[in-house]
Amino acid sequence: EHAIAMGDDSVIPPHRCPACRTFGLRWRRELQRALCTNRRCLTRHGMSRTWTLARLAYEHVAVEKMSRECAT
């Protein structure tokens, strides 16, 4: 959140989209959300999926936790 507030939106792209798992997320300042650029990752209304920072943080923590559990 702090990086984005300072104008650094480069913190979003390294993360996977929670829906399609590709690395296609791009920050959309006007929406204040990350947008998946995968053309097949659409909502049921045919719109590109978007994600809040809170949801991306939740997914990131969940994936890290699952990785640690599988490694043991």
Side-chain angles (χ1 to χ4, degrees), residues 28-66:
R28 300 302 300 219
R29 184 169 296 173
E30 64 277 4
L31 300 174
Q32 290 296 298
R33 296 171 76 96
L35 174 87
C36 183
T37 59
N38 182 350
R39 292 182 182 182
R40 294 183 179 162
C41 187
L42 304 173
T43 66
R44 64 177 180 221
H45 302 294
M47 303 294 289
S48 296
R49 291 186 191 273
T50 61
W51 308 95
T52 63
L53 286 178
R55 178 61 189 262
L56 293 177
Y58 172 82
E59 292 290 328
H60 182 72
V61 170
V63 167
E64 288 292 319
K65 183 179 178 183
M66 186 176 15

